[in-house]
Amino acid sequence: AGMHRLDVQLAQTPEQRQIGLMWRKDMPVHEGMLFVFEQATTQCFWMRNTLTALSTAFVEDDGTIVNLADMKPQTDDSHCSTKPVRFVLEMHQGWFAKKGFKAGNKLVGLPFKP
């Protein structure tokens, strides 16, 4: 992600995407989860059974961040992409803001296409 190296787990199957980061009590600051969907559509996320506050980036195929959302733990509030996307990156809440990321910035590396 720019000059910042991330270690992310991939959630590629429906079961992996459904479980996401639920039940995790801690997670190192440079780690997160990248949700990969088969096709671009409006993606919506909630935090049921997720114990850690997260920030979510909704990302286009080329790595462009469409929008960001801060999500409170253990809530069913829905947070959605403002455009169809195939990728959603979850990190600790505030990670994107602390690193200066906002909508329109690009993430680089696999799996994003130039």
Side-chain angles (χ1 to χ4, degrees):
M3 298 293 292
H4 309 283
R5 181 174 169 85
L6 302 176
D7 290 321
V8 296
Q9 293 181 353
L10 293 178
Q12 301 178 89
T13 68
E15 181 181 74
Q16 291 169 335
R17 292 189 297 256
Q18 183 179 7
I19 295 169
L21 293 171
M22 285 185 190
W23 308 115
R24 298 198 188 182
K25 293 180 181 172
D26 58 352
M27 183 173 72
V29 146
H30 67 283
E31 290 185 8
M33 183 165 279
L34 181 66
F35 295 79
V36 181
F37 294 88
E38 289 79 21
Q39 53 187 316
T41 172
T42 299
Q43 305 295 345
C44 294
F45 278 61
W46 42 264
M47 297 281 286
R48 181 182 299 154
N49 301 323
T50 305
L51 308 175
T52 304
L54 298 173
S55 291
T56 299
F58 297 95
V59 185
E60 294 181 296
D61 283 2
D62 70 353
T64 301
I65 297 173
V66 171
N67 62 297
L68 298 162
D70 287 335
M71 303 189 302
K72 293 180 184 175
Q74 300 185 22
T75 64
D76 287 339
D77 299 341
S78 190
H79 304 274
C80 300
S81 60
T82 57
K83 293 169 52 171
V85 297
R86 284 193 332 113
F87 300 101
V88 180
L89 177 61
E90 288 183 338
M91 299 294 292
H92 279 282
Q93 190 166 92
W95 188 90
F96 296 102
K98 287 176 189 169
K99 305 297 184 191
F101 284 96
K102 54 189 175 228
N105 290 142
K106 280 196 175 188
L107 303 177
V108 295
L110 294 176
F112 307 115
K113 300 174 188 170

